[in-house]
Amino acid sequence: MSSAQSVKAPESVDPRGPRFGAAITSVVLALTLLLGPAGGLPLLIIQTLAFAAGSLLGLGYQPYGWIFRTVVRPRLQPPAELEDSRPPRFAQTVGLVFALAGLVGVVFGLPVLFYIAVGFALVAALLNAIFDFCLGCEMYLLGKRLLNRPAAGGVA
């Protein structure tokens, strides 16, 4: 078996799934902000666990993706095309970092950190849910372009 045959193709996802998840995330994070650090803590923990599942285990384990796959997608036409799961998975990691920062704000009595971190995560989720613009996905793609540049300088 050649090495080309042993390379696993990246997982593909229905692009509507992450957008659906972003809509749920937006609602959870908006409620978290409205309830504040103390009242919003349970929702922030739930959202952090959802981000962690998508980031660390893969999009197949993200609970909002599961809802999309089992309840919503069977009622829709098949997608025009599937997309690489790596950019949305990276976006889950970015969300996880902001959610963890929000938790740190609660634990250490830093409400400003809570509001800033959760607010940034909410803005990113809303961009995806409303405008189909995945900020974390774009960060992933930019990183790939920057890291895949040839080591030697090009023609000036």
Side-chain angles (χ1 to χ4, degrees), residues 3-150:
S3 62
Q5 292 174 332
S6 64
V7 174
K8 183 180 172 190
E11 181 183 340
S12 296
V13 295
D14 183 333
R16 300 169 295 186
R19 190 170 187 191
F20 174 83
I24 295 175
T25 297
S26 296
V27 170
V28 171
L29 292 176
L31 289 172
T32 300
L33 281 177
L34 289 173
L35 293 171
L41 181 60
L43 289 175
L44 184 55
I45 291 170
I46 290 168
Q47 186 57 53
T48 302
L49 292 172
F51 281 142
S55 171
L56 303 173
L57 303 174
L59 296 179
Y61 295 93
Q62 213 282 357
Y64 309 150
W66 179 83
I67 294 169
F68 176 79
R69 285 189 315 278
T70 58
V71 177
V72 177
R73 186 173 180 190
R75 292 167 172 74
L76 302 174
Q77 294 291 323
E81 59 185 20
L82 298 176
E83 70 180 19
D84 184 354
S85 67
R86 293 175 293 185
R89 186 170 179 178
F90 179 80
Q92 292 288 300
T93 304
V94 173
L96 176 61
V97 169
F98 279 102
L100 289 172
L103 288 174
V104 167
V106 173
V107 170
F108 291 104
L110 302 168
V112 171
L113 178 58
F114 166 84
Y115 285 110
I116 290 172
V118 175
F120 277 138
L122 174 59
V123 167
L126 285 170
L127 283 171
N128 194 354
I130 297 170
F131 300 110
D132 197 19
F133 181 81
C134 177
L135 190 57
C137 300
E138 294 300 322
M139 290 171 52
Y140 174 87
L141 296 172
L142 177 62
K144 290 292 282 182
R145 283 191 289 270
L146 292 175
L147 295 175
N148 285 336
R149 289 191 312 187

